[in-house]
Structure formats: C-alpha cells, structure tokens
C-alpha cells in the first residue's frame, strides 16, 4: 500500500475509533418537551403529576437536586423535604416556603449552597406552568410530609400572588419579617380578651361576628400569617370583610365606609347595596340606593386632570400610582374595568381593615406572641 | 503590468462568484422566506436538523480554515520579513494559494446552510431576521471586501517584495481583520441563540447592540479566534506531512519537514491558551445561566466532556511526542532525552485523570461492589479540582517541551554578550498582566474590601445583639421578657436583622474567600519577577537557569496545592481556585520564556537542524493532530448548540419541532465524523488543485 493509502486508512481509523468510543459510552438522549397536563386536583393526582414533572428532562430538577444523600450534589437533597419545609425559614410554613423556593429560589438559600444556582421555574428556560408548579410543590411536600386537601389549598393561597403576577423573583429578599417566638398560651388567652379582640372576633361560642371567625384559625394559617395580621391588619383582609367606600353624588354628604352585606338583586347588576357600618363596637346596616352614589368600591384613587383634583372609587384589580391602576367601576348598574394612567394618579388608597392597627404600640411582645400561640391552638375542637 | 492584469482577471472572476452566491442567499432571505407560512419545513428521508447540522458543520470547518490559515500565513510572512529567511515567505505564499478555493467552498456551504435554514426553519429565520437583518448587509459587504483582499494578497505577492513587503503584510492584516469581523458578526447570531440579550421577555427587539454584545459574544469570539489559529496551524502541518510522506525528493522532504514543524509550532502555541479561553467561556455560560452551565458540565453533556478530554489528551500527547521525536534531528537534542520519560509519564497520568468521569453509570451490582455511585479511588479524580490541576500540569509540561526544544541545539555563551534585551524585557513585562489581576483581586477588589469590612460589621452585629439580649441568654428570651411595646422591640429586631444581612452579604461577596490567596500569589509573583529582573540586569544570568526551575516548580506547587485544597472547601470557594492555577501557569510561562530569551542570546549553535531527518511516524502524528482538531471542533459545536436544550433562542423561542431533542453521543459522533470526512475529502481536492498550480520553488 502506498503512503497516500496508508494515510487515508489512518484518518479513517481515527474517525472510526472516535465513533466507536462515543457509541460504547452510556447513551443519553433527551426527549422533546411535553407539557405535563395536570389532570384533576386531588392531592394524590397532584403528587403523582408533580413526581413525573420533577423527574422529567424538561424540569431539570435532578440535574442539581438529589433524592438521597449525595455529597457532590449541587443543590440540597430533597429527601424528607416535606418534614422540614415548615422549619426551614423562620416565619414561613411549609407551603409558603415551598412556593417561594420554586418561584424565587434566591429568597432563601440553604447554607453551603451557592446563590443563583437555580432559576425561577416559572420563567424560561424551565418555564413550568403554574399548575405544574402546584403539582411539583405538592410532590415535594409528600417527600416526608403529608399532602392533603388542606395543604393543597395552602399551596394555592401562596401561589395566588405569583399567578396574578403581583410578585416577582428576588422581591422581598431584604424585607424584614418579624421573627416568630414561642409565646405562652395562657398569656395569649388573657391578652386576647384584654386587648379587645374578643369584641369583634368569634372563638367558638364566645365573641362577635364583626371580624372573621377565628375558631379554626390554627388549622389553616401559619404563625407568620397570624402575627402579620395582628401587626398589620390591612395587609390581608379576609374575603367578605373588606370595607367598601360609598361616595354620594350629593356634595357635602358624609361618605360611608362599611362591609357589604348584600348586593341587590346581585353583585353583577346591583341597584341597591346593603352595607354594615361599624360605629365603635356596634354595627348598623344601611341600605344604599346605588342611583344616589357617585361611586362605590374598596379603593379610592385621587386623580388630577386639568389641574382639577377628584376622587374615584372602585374595586381594586391591579397596578399602583406609578404604573397606573386598574379598577372595576360600577357604571350604570354594571361593573366595568378601567385603567387610570399613572401620570394622572396622585394617590391610591386601598381599603383598610377596621381592626385597630396600633397593637404594636400598646402591647408588649409577650402579649402579641401569646396571642399568636393562642390562635395557633384554635383548631376548631371546642 | 502582467501582475495587474492577473489581479484584475481574478478579481473579476472572484467578484462574479461571490456576487452569485450572495445573490442566492439574498433571494432565499428576502424573496423566499416571507412567502413561507409554515413553522417548520420537511426534508425527505433525513431529519431537517441533520441537514442543517451537516451543512453548517462543514461550513464552519471551512470557515475556521479560511480564517485560521490567513492568520497563520501572516504570522509566517512577518517572521520571514523580520528574519530575512525567504523560506518563511514561500511557506506563507504556499498557503495563501489554497485560500481562494477554500473561500469558495466556505461560501457555497454557507449559502446551502442559509437555504436549508430558510426552507426548513422559516419561522425561526423570520424571527432571527427581525433581530439581525441590519447586520446582513455589512456581512455581505465584508465577504466582498475579503474576496478582493484575498485576490490582491495572493496575486500581488511576488510583485510586492522588498520595499512593498510591509504594505503586502498590511493587506494580509486587513484580510484577517475582515475575516475576524465576519466571524464576529456570525458569532453574534450564534451566541444570541444561546444567551439572548437586548430583547424583551417575549423576544421583541429592544437594542440591536445588546443583542450583538450578548453575554457569550466575547467569550466565543476569543475562543474561536484562538482555536482558528490552532486549527489553521494543524491543517498546515498535516498538509506538510502528506507532502513529506509522498515526495521522493530529499530537498522537498526537508522543506515539508520544516513546514510541518512551523505549522505544529503555531498550532501548539495557540492550543496552550485555548483551555484558558475555554474556561472563560464556561464561566460566562455558568454566569449567564447556572442552569445552562450545569447542563453543560454535569447534566446531559457530562459524558461529552469526557470524550473532549480524550481528544484534547490525544492532542497534547501527540504534540509533545512530535516535539520529542524532533529532538532527534537537532544536534545537541540528545541532551534532553532524559527528561522525556518523566514528561511522558506525567502527561499520560494527567490525561488519565482528566478523562476520569465524575459519575459512573453503573449497574446496581457494580455500584454495590464499588460501595456507591462513585468509585472509591477513581471517584476522587472525577471532580473539577483534579481536572483543573492536571490540565494545568499538562500545559506546564508542554511548555517545558517547547523550552527544551528551543534550546536543543544551543549552548549558552560562557559570558552573555551585551544587547538583546528588547525581547526578554517585553516578555517579562507581559507577566505584569497576571500580577495585576491577582494584585487587584487581593488588595483592591470587591472581595478584598468586603474582607476588610467584615470584622467591623460582625462587631456591630454582636454589639446590637448584646444590647437587645441584656442579661438574657437569647434574643428570644429577652424579647418575651421585656415590657417595652412590640413596635419598639420590632425596630431593634429589624436593625439587628439588617446588620445580620449586611454581615451575610459581606460574607457572600464574590472574591472575599480569595482575597488572601490572591495577595499571597501576588507576592510570590513579584518576588520571582524581581529576581528575574535582577538576574538580567545585575547578576548577568548567573541564577537564571536555577530561577527557571524554581518558577516552574512554584507554579506546579501552586497548581497542586490548590487542587488538593479544593477537596476540603465548598464548591463556591473551589471554583475560584482554578483562577490561581491559571495565573500561576501563565506567569511561569511568561517569566521562564523571558529568562530563556535572555540567557540564550548569543548562544552557540551545536549544528544546523537536519530537516527531513524525521521518522514517518512523526508525520502521522501531525495528521492525527489535524484530524483530532477537526473532530474536536465538531464535538464542541455540538455541545455549544446542544446546551440550548429545546430552545432555538434560549428562553425566548422554543423549538417545537419533533426534533427538539438532544441526540445520543453515538449519533452525534457519527454526524461529526461524516462532516469531518467530507471536509477532509474536499480539502484534499483543494490541496491537489493547489499543488498543481505551482510546486515549491
């Protein structure tokens, strides 16, 4: 064989060796993306779907996480996560922690692991849908924890702001959250009465129905939520207890602020509003003919147009004074969403809870933490 | 006049060819593309992706050739002009002769690739056009400009000797500049697909410049530029090897032996910094998206990097082997044979470690026998600490081979003559670069500042905590005991939390863990550089030889020390150690070279190199180098494209076709090999035609 032939054979041999080696090593092939359809909503179905998503190439969870002890894994071992999720981050229950961890991974990074390793999974390139994330968090909790209907409901609650686009990753990482300390139950029992909580809230057969019933609060809410509600009553106002403003057409008539009791004939096409107005610890029901009102709703927006300042009220939908706010206005007996441009808005005043907001000024920590402990113990067994 | 006519004739023919090809590409982009309404086209029998992959891979191989070879030719021409050795000039021209045909082949495959993309991926190409269409015209203009320069560069070669030589070199430089700009534009398209920037979340263009200057643009620009030089050198060496083996003439054999040596020399000097450029690219990929970085090294592509290690290992081993064989044709080279065995063992062991996989896919029974997923011994070598260490040691060893080769037929003058200080001083000054990097990180950088701030912050946090705690053991106990209102206590707790946050942020400041290491290394570097300068200007080279060994030993010690230390620290800290290792190797190479240039100035030659007196296996080594280089280009192209996973444009435009999957390594290797063999086949034709046009003078 001449030299040219030998050279050709030599090159072919190198190429063949390359192909051979590449074929004898373990062969890994990824599959095209198939979005997991999260069928049904029972906890078992969610956990099963979540497991499939977690294991899939698309979600890439197992690229970094492990499901058993692996000292070389780039991200924490998820084995038994459900049992420790509620203790991982002070002031957060398991559902809140799991939801935050997948939407905003840098908000809390387990000690010894790098920041920025994980990206928000609702964003590209992973881009799981919110339903898929619900399933994954349900599955993660099932690793060492129990994913029941209540827990799924908690996941849904925690997911809601993310679904509505109200939260963005990295938000709130520097925000101060009061720590949860272990208060005394007996102290809480006393403080709940001494501070007047029992005047508005019901616990079992005791108390009144001005504020939400707290008989089972401990079964559905976390210490973090309760503490936040005591210190900042307006941060989350329970559905049905959100005050509504009534601004009359007639000038100089006093505005009304109260909790809607009924829209007549219905909420979509109301002509009359029955509103419960709080005076001291007493409530009075007032019937409002909506033909007489300029506007009605839980949010007041101060608007400046052509140097004229005016007030608008409607039900809050989204936005703020800077970017513009969208409100639902009652116009001619029908609700319609309208956006007010940011440039025209001077202030947006969302509904405030009628509950006093000065507990942090009048109560000592042991009283506040006592109330938290007392309310956490309210599991509806009385 | 004849030259002018020849240039004019070839210019017209070249412009006609380029015009036709650009016209066809424009036809597809401007006329055909807007008329296509489907998301994806279909190709008969073969998957659309395979068609585009093959065409683009071959196009890229030719592109690397036509970008790398002119750089190689220009370097060789400059060496010829400076040294006055006409052989270099002839060698440079010999390669320039091959460029015209290769240029045409590149353009043909480029146009075929564009046509395939337009017909098979119309929606994606429409999107890419919506971002990058303003770059299409400059790209076409650069192609025309390069075609003109290439014709002038080659056909005016002989006419532009003597006084016009440097103008001719200037034309070569312009040709390379045009080629490099062409590559940069194409890189912007490719890297935008990997790390899109300048667009909104749903892909609408906000800034064209940001889309071009995306996070991976410069890392790829640098990596490809260096790789092209290495590739050009290796192809030149392989061409020489083929001619060496097939010629019957002793004179020609001597010429091609020398040509192979020069080609390999350029290829190896470009190969040495390539792992550093690769490291920079990898780090930027990780910085852009940890998810992408993890897929790259630890996910679906982890086995690919084992194969890459095999290929790079083959490159280094073969290149060193070629140099060691080369000692045989140099009178005096036998003095250095004694080092070969230890260097060989070191390189082989290092490569074995580099090739060790991190995670062995083992059966359950195998895993039980091993005692886990990781082999008790080999598992230790599978991690980055070991791999970074050995790759740096291989680079140091290869550098040592170069130093020994350079010295092979030289014997230092008993007393170093005066003069010759320009080159050593210039190279020594280059070592200020690693000193500056380490010095800034060690004394002035963000990490160094945070390191100084941390004790103060920790003390403030301690004081605050003590103030809240009072006589209680814990903050919690103190808070639950106080009669102060909750609001006052919350303010204190918020202040404490803020201070703890500051402490935490300071602790997490990038580089804080490394400031001390950088300082130590800076001091070591400064010490060695000072000694080198003293040796040059005061001691007259008396400690130079010893100092060279000391610097190499210190660099190896730094590499090994941080490699071992990497096993005992967290991943975040470990990642930074590789920078120390790289800096130590770079510094050592620069200062040792500077000292060598100083020491061997005016050295006595032990005899001329016996060109042509090389065993045939040395030439097979050169062919192997070129083949492995080409396969590596294909392999790296696969992973660069593959880490986009199921996205055309990562995170912006999803690949919804049925081929949106990552193929197995076996399938990918088959395709890469087909592309390589087609490229070699066409290259062989170009070489044959090139040879016919004129034999070596």
């Amino acid at each position: 064989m001449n030299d040219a032939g030998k050279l050709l054979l030599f090159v072919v041999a190198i190429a063949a060796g390359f192909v051979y080696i590449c074929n004898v090593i373990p062969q890994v092939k990824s599959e095209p993306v198939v979005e997991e359809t999260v069928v049904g909503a029972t906890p078992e179905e969610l956990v099963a779907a979540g497991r499939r998503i977690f294991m899939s190439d698309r979600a890439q969870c197992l690229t970094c996480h492990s499901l058993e002890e692996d000292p070389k894994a780039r991200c924490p071992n998820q084995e038994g996560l459900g049992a420790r999720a509620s203790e991982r981050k002070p002031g957060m229950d398991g559902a809140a922690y799991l939801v935050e961890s997948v939407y905003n991974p840098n908000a809390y990074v387990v000690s010894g692991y790098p920041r920025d390793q994980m990206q928000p999974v609702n964003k590209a390139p992973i881009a799981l849908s919110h339903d898929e994330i619900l399933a994954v968090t349900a599955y993660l909790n099932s690793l060492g924890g129990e994913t029941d209907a209540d827990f799924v409901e908690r996941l849904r609650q925690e997911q809601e702001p993310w679904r509505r686009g109200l939260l963005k990753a990295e938000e709130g990482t520097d925000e101060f959250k009061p720590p949860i300390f272990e208060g005394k139950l007996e102290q809480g029992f006393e403080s709940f009465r001494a501070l007047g909580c029992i005047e508005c809230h019901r616990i079992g057969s005791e108390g009144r129905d001005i504020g939400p019933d707290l008989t089972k609060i401990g079964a559905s809410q976390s210490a973090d939520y309760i503490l936040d509600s005591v210190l900042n009553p307006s941060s989350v106002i329970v559905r049905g207890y959100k005050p509504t403003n009534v601004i009359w057409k007639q000038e100089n008539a006093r505005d009304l602020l109260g909790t809607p009791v009924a829209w007549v004939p219905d909420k979509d096409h109301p002509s009359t509003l029955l509103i419960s107005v709080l005076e001291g610890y007493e409530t009075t029901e007032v019937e409002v003919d909506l033909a007489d009102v300029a506007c009605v709703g839980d949010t007041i927006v101060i608007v400046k147009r052509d140097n004229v300042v005016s007030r608008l009220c409607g039900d809050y939908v989204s936005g703020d004074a800077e970017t513009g706010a969208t409100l639902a206005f009652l116009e001619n007996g029908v609700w319609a969403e309208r956006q007010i441009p940011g440039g025209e808005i001077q202030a947006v005043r969302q509904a405030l809870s009628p509950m006093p907001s000065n507990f942090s000024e009048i109560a000592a920590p042991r009283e506040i933490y006592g109330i938290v402990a007392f309310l956490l113990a309210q599991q509806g067994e009385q | 006049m004849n030259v002018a006519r020849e240039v004019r004739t070839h210019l017209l023919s070249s412009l006609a060819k380029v015009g036709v090809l650009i016209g066809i590409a424009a036809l597809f982009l401007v006329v055909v593309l807007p008329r296509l309404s489907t998301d994806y086209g279909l190709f008969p029998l073969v998957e659309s992706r395979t068609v585009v992959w093959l065409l683009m891979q071959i196009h890229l191989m030719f592109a690397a050739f036509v970008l790398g070879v002119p750089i190689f030719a220009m370097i060789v021409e400059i060496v010829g002009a400076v040294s006055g050795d006409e052989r270099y000039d002839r060698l440079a021209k010999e390669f320039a002769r091959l460029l015209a045909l290769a240029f045409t082949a590149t353009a043909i495959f480029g146009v075929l690739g564009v046509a395939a993309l337009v017909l098979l991926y119309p929606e994606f190409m429409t999107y890419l056009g919506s971002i990058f269409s303003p770059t299409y015209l400059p790209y076409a203009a650069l192609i025309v400009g390069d075609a003109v320069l290439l014709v002038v560069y080659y056909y005016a070669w002989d006419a532009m000797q003597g006084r016009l030589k440097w103008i001719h070199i200037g034309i070569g430089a312009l040709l390379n500049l045009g080629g490099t700009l062409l590559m940069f534009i194409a890189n912007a398209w490719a890297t935008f697909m990997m790390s899109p920037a300048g667009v909104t979340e749903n892909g609408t263009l906000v800034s064209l410049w940001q889309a071009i200057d995306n996070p991976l643009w410069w890392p790829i620009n640098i990596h490809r530029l260096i790789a092209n030089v290495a590739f050009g050198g290796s192809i030149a060496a392989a061409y020489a090897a083929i001619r060496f083996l097939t010629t019957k003439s002793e004179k020609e054999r001597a010429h091609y032996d020398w040509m192979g040596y020069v080609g390999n020399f350029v290829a190896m000097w470009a190969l040495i910094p390539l792992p550093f450029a690769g490291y920079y690219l990898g780090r930027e990929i990780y910085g852009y998206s940890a998810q992408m970085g993890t897929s790259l090294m630890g996910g679906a592509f982890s086995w690919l990097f084992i194969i890459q290690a095999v290929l790079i290992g083959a490159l280094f081993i073969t290149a060193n082997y070629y140099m060691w064989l080369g000692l045989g044709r140099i009178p005096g080279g036998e003095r250095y044979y004694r080092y070969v065995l230890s260097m060989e063992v070191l390189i082989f062991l290092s490569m074995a470690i580099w090739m060790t996989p991190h995670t062995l896919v083992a059966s359950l029974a195998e895993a039980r026998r091993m005692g886990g997923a990781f082999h008790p011994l080999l598992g230790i070598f599978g991690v980055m600490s070991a791999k970074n260490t050995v790759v740096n040691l291989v680079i140091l060893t290869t550098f040592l081979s170069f130093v020994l080769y350079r010295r092979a037929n030289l014997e230092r003058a008993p007393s170093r003559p005066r003069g010759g200080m320009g080159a050593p001083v210039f190279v020594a000054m280059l070592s200020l670069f690693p000193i500056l990097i380490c010095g800034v990180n060690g004394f002035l950088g963000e990490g160094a500042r945070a390191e100084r701030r941390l004790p103060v912050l920790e003390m403030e946090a301690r004081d605050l905590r003590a103030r809240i705690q009072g006589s209680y053991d814990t903050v919690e106990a103190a808070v639950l005991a106080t009669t102060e209102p909750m609001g006052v206590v919350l303010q204190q707790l918020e202040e404490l939390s803020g201070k703890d946050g500051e402490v935490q942020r300071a602790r997490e400041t990038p580089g804080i863990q490394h400031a001390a290491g950088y300082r130590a290394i800076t001091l070591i570097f400064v010490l060695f550089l000072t000694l080198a300068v003293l040796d040059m200007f005061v001691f007259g080279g008396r400690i130079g030889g010893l100092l060279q060994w000391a610097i190499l030993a210190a660099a190896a010690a730094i590499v090994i020390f941080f490699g071992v230390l990497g096993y005992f620290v967290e991943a975040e800290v470990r990642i930074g150690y590789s920078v120390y290792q790289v800096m130590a190797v770079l510094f050592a190479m620069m200062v040792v070279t500077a000292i060598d240039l100083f020491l061997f100035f005016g050295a006595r030659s032990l005899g001329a190199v016996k060109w042509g007196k090389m065993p045939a296996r040395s030439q097979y080594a050169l062919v192997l180098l070129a083949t492995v280089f080409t396969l590596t280009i294909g392999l790296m192209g696969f992973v660069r494209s593959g880490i986009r996973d199921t996205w055309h444009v990562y995170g912006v435009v999803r690949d919804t076709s049925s081929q949106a999957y990552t193929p197995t390594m076996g399938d990918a290797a088959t395709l890469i090999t087909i592309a390589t063999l087609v490229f070699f086949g066409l290259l062989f034709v170009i070489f044959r035609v090139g040879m016919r046009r004129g034999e070596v003078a």
Side-chain angles (χ1 to χ4, degrees):
Chain A
M1 189 184 285
N2 63 17
D3 287 312
K6 281 186 204 163
L7 272 170
L8 181 67
L9 259 182
F10 183 61
V11 171
V12 171
I14 296 166
F18 172 68
V19 173
Y20 173 74
I21 292 171
C22 290
N23 273 284
V24 292
I25 59 170
Q27 301 293 302
V28 183
K29 178 182 177 183
S30 78
E31 295 302 327
V33 170
V34 181
E35 193 160 312
E36 179 75 32
T37 312
V38 183
V39 191
T42 67
E44 294 74 25
E45 284 169 339
L46 278 173
V47 167
R51 185 178 185 283
R52 282 196 300 276
I53 298 164
F54 187 86
M55 303 288 178
S56 69
D57 285 345
R58 179 170 156 244
Q60 296 185 30
C61 309
L62 287 174
T63 306
C64 299
H65 289 287
S66 59
L67 289 171
E68 59 182 19
E69 198 50 46
D70 177 0
K72 295 187 181 75
R74 294 168 181 82
C75 296
N77 173 14
Q78 305 295 55
E79 187 184 26
L81 177 60
R84 60 181 179 271
S86 57
E87 293 154 17
R88 188 74 108 179
K89 191 173 174 185
M92 271 200 172
D93 68 359
Y97 171 73
L98 288 173
V99 168
E100 184 186 70
S101 295
V102 291
Y103 280 102
N104 188 13
N106 274 343
Y108 178 82
V109 180
V110 178
S111 174
Y113 293 94
R115 283 177 71 78
D116 300 321
Q117 174 68 31
M118 180 170 160
Q119 292 170 358
V121 295
N122 60 324
K123 299 283 179 192
I126 306 287
L128 295 184
S129 69
H130 294 294
D131 284 345
E132 288 176 310
I133 291 173
L134 178 71
V136 169
T137 46
Y139 165 65
L140 288 174
N141 184 65
S142 76
L143 300 169
E146 189 191 347
T147 300
D148 53 19
D150 284 344
F151 190 83
V152 171
E153 187 49 37
R154 277 289 301 132
L155 288 173
R156 285 187 198 280
Q157 283 173 7
E158 288 297 327
Q159 245 196 332
E160 194 53 28
W162 295 100
R163 281 181 186 263
R164 290 170 59 192
L166 299 176
L167 289 177
K168 291 194 178 88
E170 295 292 345
E171 256 182 17
T173 47
D174 290 332
E175 188 191 331
F176 170 68
K177 278 199 167 181
I180 301 294
F181 294 144
E182 207 171 325
K184 290 198 172 106
L185 206 68
E186 309 81 53
Q187 169 79 61
F189 177 78
E190 280 172 27
S191 301
F192 195 77
R193 280 157 183 76
L195 292 170
C197 311
I198 200 73
E199 299 294 339
C200 295
H201 292 285
R202 173 175 298 284
I203 288 184
S205 56
E206 202 181 345
R208 299 166 72 188
D209 293 324
I210 296 169
D213 186 339
L214 302 178
T215 308
K216 296 179 182 175
I217 183 80
S220 61
Q221 298 295 358
S222 64
D224 188 50
Y225 173 87
I226 294 172
L227 179 63
D228 188 44
S229 299
V230 173
L231 298 175
N232 309 297
S234 297
S235 69
V236 178
I237 302 175
V238 175
R239 201 177 160 83
Y241 291 90
K242 204 170 191 180
T244 280
N245 303 279
V246 175
I247 299 178
W248 302 99
K249 282 179 181 167
Q250 187 189 345
E251 281 186 30
N252 303 324
R254 202 161 71 99
D255 297 346
L256 278 183
L257 181 68
T259 314
V261 176
W263 299 84
V264 182
D266 58 53
K267 176 74 195 274
D268 290 338
H269 307 89
S271 59
T272 306
L273 167 64
L274 198 60
I275 190 167
S276 170
V277 179
L278 186 66
E279 300 270 354
Y281 287 124
E282 298 301 324
T283 55
T284 316
E285 285 195 1
V286 179
E287 195 175 294
V288 175
D289 184 348
L290 292 170
D292 297 335
V293 305
C295 61
V296 62
D298 57 34
T299 299
I300 295 178
V301 180
I302 313 292
V303 175
K304 188 176 183 182
R305 283 180 188 145
D306 304 325
N307 286 326
V308 178
V309 177
S310 57
R311 292 187 305 161
L312 301 172
C313 61
D315 275 353
Y316 179 82
V317 177
S318 64
D320 55 36
E322 273 180 34
T323 58
T326 302
L327 265 60
F329 294 105
L330 186 62
E331 294 172 355
N332 303 321
V334 181
W335 294 96
E337 284 186 12
R338 299 261 184 274
Q339 203 207 16
I340 310 162
E344 295 180 359
I345 301 177
Q346 288 200 325
V348 176
R349 290 182 194 149
Q350 290 202 47
L352 294 177
S353 165
M355 177 171 153
S357 58
N358 63 344
F359 283 115
S360 64
E361 291 162 24
I362 59 171
R366 62 167 169 271
E367 294 173 290
I368 302 283
Y369 285 115
I371 290 174
V372 173
F374 172 67
L375 291 178
L376 278 175
Q378 304 310 310
Q379 305 275 337
E381 290 153 2
Q382 290 180 19
Chain B
M1 282 303 285
N2 281 344
V3 173
R5 195 180 306 130
E6 196 177 14
V7 168
R8 203 163 46 239
T9 311
H10 286 282
L11 207 53
L12 284 173
S13 122
S14 182
L15 284 176
K17 271 190 285 188
V18 167
V20 169
L21 289 169
I22 289 178
I24 295 171
L27 184 78
F28 274 97
L29 285 169
V30 181
V31 181
V32 177
L33 184 57
R35 285 173 171 72
L36 297 171
S37 54
T38 53
D39 294 353
Y40 297 102
L42 282 175
F43 196 86
L45 302 174
V46 186
E47 283 188 348
S48 302
R49 185 176 62 176
T50 308
V51 175
V52 172
W53 186 352
L54 266 178
L55 289 173
M56 282 307 186
Q57 189 58 70
I58 298 168
H59 167 69
L60 281 171
M61 284 169 179
F62 271 111
F65 181 81
V66 296
L67 290 171
V69 170
I71 296 174
F72 169 79
M74 189 183 72
I75 294 169
V76 173
E77 192 184 4
I78 291 171
V79 172
V82 171
S83 66
D85 189 338
E86 284 184 11
R87 286 182 309 166
Y88 285 99
D89 199 61
R90 284 203 303 276
L91 173 62
K93 190 185 173 193
E94 195 170 351
F95 276 98
R97 190 170 62 216
L98 306 173
L99 282 175
L101 275 174
F103 194 85
T104 309
T106 311
I108 289 172
F109 278 98
V111 170
L112 288 173
V114 168
L117 277 169
V118 165
L119 294 173
L120 303 174
Y121 294 89
E123 196 189 21
F124 161 67
M125 284 303 280
T126 304
Y127 174 72
L128 209 61
S130 75
I131 307 292
F132 286 111
S133 55
T135 63
Y136 292 171
L137 199 61
Y139 189 77
L142 278 169
I143 291 176
V144 174
D146 248 19
V148 172
L149 286 167
L150 185 59
V151 170
V152 176
Y153 187 60
Y154 178 66
Y155 289 100
W157 198 293
D158 293 330
M160 295 181 80
Q161 294 291 343
R163 282 185 303 124
L164 297 176
K165 188 68 198 166
W166 283 100
I167 296 177
H168 186 260
I169 289 172
I171 294 170
L174 277 178
L175 176 68
N176 281 310
L177 180 69
T180 306
L181 288 176
L182 266 175
M183 182 185 76
F184 282 4
I185 294 177
N187 286 351
W189 308 334
T191 53
F192 174 81
M193 290 166 67
M194 299 169 73
S195 57
V199 290
T200 60
E201 225 171 74
N202 57 11
T204 311
L205 180 66
V206 177
S207 158
L208 175 62
W209 174 244
Q210 279 177 21
I212 292 170
D213 188 22
N214 63 69
L216 297 183
W217 190 45
W218 274 109
I220 287 271
N221 283 343
I222 292 168
H223 194 268
R224 276 189 169 170
L225 194 62
I226 300 173
N228 285 345
V229 177
F231 183 63
S234 77
I235 294 288
Y239 168 75
I242 295 168
R243 305 285 320 249
F244 178 101
L245 290 170
T246 50
T247 187
K248 304 286 177 221
S249 152
E250 284 295 320
K251 192 181 163 193
E252 280 197 2
R253 190 167 295 131
H255 172 77
Y256 288 115
D257 181 20
W258 172 77
M259 183 194 273
Y261 161 75
V262 175
N264 183 55
F265 186 83
V266 172
M268 288 316 292
W269 269 108
L271 180 65
I272 283 175
L274 208 50
F276 302 147
Y279 172 77
Y280 168 50
L281 172 60
R283 209 186 63 168
E284 292 302 306
I285 288 175
Y286 202 89
Y288 169 71
S289 162
Q291 209 97 36
M292 192 188 250
T294 306
S295 305
L296 183 73
M297 298 302 287
F301 292 100
S302 48
W303 270 101
L304 181 141
F305 279 90
I306 302 302
I307 299 295
Q308 186 221 23
V310 172
L311 294 178
I312 305 283
L315 286 179
F316 273 109
I317 290 167
T318 312
N320 277 284
Y321 175 67
Y322 175 80
M323 269 189 290
W324 299 333
L325 283 177
L327 288 173
R329 61 159 127 74
I330 305 175
E334 65 284 351
R335 291 175 299 165
Y336 297 109
Y337 284 165
R338 60 199 163 111
Y339 295 113
V340 168
L341 181 64
S342 45
M343 287 197 288
E344 199 174 336
V345 170
L346 183 62
I347 291 179
F348 266 95
L349 280 180
S350 297
M351 283 306 160
I353 290 173
W354 198 13
M355 291 170 201
T356 306
H358 173 227
T359 309
L360 289 166
V361 178
S363 68
L364 199 61
E366 283 172 327
R368 277 205 200 98
R369 280 205 300 277
M370 278 198 311
F374 306 101
H375 188 277
L377 178 63
L378 297 181
I380 298 170
F381 297 130
V383 294
M384 283 314 286
S385 277
K387 292 177 190 234
N388 281 339
T389 302
V390 295
V391 77
N392 279 293
L393 289 179
V394 166
I395 290 171
L396 265 183
T397 312
T398 306
F399 169 72
L400 183 61
S401 280
F402 268 117
V403 174
L404 299 182
Y405 190 91
R406 200 184 90 81
R407 290 174 172 190
N409 68 339
L410 297 177
E411 193 170 81
R412 281 171 62 185
S415 159
R416 187 190 180 279
R418 285 183 172 279
M421 294 305 290
V425 169
F426 173 74
V427 178
M429 276 173 65
L430 292 179
S431 71
L432 292 175
F433 167 69
I435 290 179
L436 202 67
I437 289 183
C438 293
V440 166
N441 281 315
F443 294 98
L444 306 169
E446 203 187 346
R449 292 201 305 275
E451 190 193 40
R452 285 194 290 273
R453 211 171 52 241
L454 186 60
V456 180
L457 290 172
E458 282 176 334
M459 196 178 69
E460 287 173 0
R462 240 188 344 263
D463 289 350
L464 255 176
R465 185 167 279 107
R467 214 163 67 214
I468 296 171
Q469 275 180 226
S471 58
Y472 291 92
D473 290 341
T474 61
V475 169
E476 180 168 357
V479 167
L480 290 173
T482 184
T483 52
E484 297 250 37
M486 181 77 175
V488 174
V489 175
L490 279 181
Q491 267 180 5
Q492 293 172 337
L493 291 175
E494 186 169 1
E495 203 183 338
L496 178 62
S497 164
K499 196 53 76 182
D500 283 343
E502 277 184 66
V503 170
Q504 193 57 29
R505 278 192 294 280
R507 281 188 187 137
E508 288 173 356
T509 306
I512 189 170
Q513 307 268 14
H514 294 290
Y518 277 120
R519 280 197 296 276
I521 287 182
T522 307
L523 294 177
I524 293 170
F525 288 177
V526 169
L527 173 71
F528 278 123
L529 183 62
T530 309
L531 287 174
V533 171
L534 282 175
D535 186 51
M536 288 184 208
F537 290 97
V538 180
F539 304 141
R542 279 195 294 280
I543 62 165
L546 192 66
L547 193 57
Q548 283 181 309
W549 284 113
I551 292 170
L552 286 172
I558 289 172
V559 166
I560 293 170
F561 175 74
F562 284 107
V564 174
L565 198 60
Y567 286 91
F568 302 99
V569 296
E570 287 177 358
E572 268 188 302
V573 181
R574 183 165 61 236
I575 290 165
Y577 285 172
S578 51
V579 184
Y580 301 155
Q581 295 174 316
V582 167
M583 288 298 142
V585 171
L586 275 179
F587 175 83
M589 290 199 304
M590 288 161 179
V591 180
V592 168
T593 305
I595 297 172
D596 220 53
L597 289 168
F598 172 79
L599 292 179
F600 284 83
F601 177 74
R604 185 174 71 90
S605 169
L606 296 175
V609 179
K610 294 171 193 155
W611 294 113
K613 301 294 177 200
M614 278 287 263
R617 59 182 187 276
S618 66
Q619 305 306 304
Y620 280 88
L622 293 180
V623 173
L624 187 142
L625 278 176
T627 313
V628 173
F629 257 119
T630 315
L631 290 172
T632 310
I633 285 179
L635 191 73
M636 292 296 99
F638 165 52
V639 69
R640 187 194 58 71
S641 190
I643 51 170
R644 281 184 286 115
D645 199 25
T646 55
W647 298 85
H648 288 309
V649 178
Y650 193 67
V652 177
V653 182
R654 198 182 281 275
D655 182 351
T656 54
S657 71
S658 58
Q659 294 139 37
Y661 64 90
T662 306
T664 60
M665 265 307 299
D667 291 347
T670 307
L671 237 96
I672 291 162
T673 304
I674 291 171
T676 302
L677 293 178
V678 171
F679 170 69
F680 274 11
L682 291 169
L683 207 57
F684 181 74
V685 173
I686 290 169
F687 282 166
R688 292 287 295 182
V689 175
M691 282 180 210
R692 274 201 213 112
R693 283 188 184 171
E695 291 299 320
V696 186

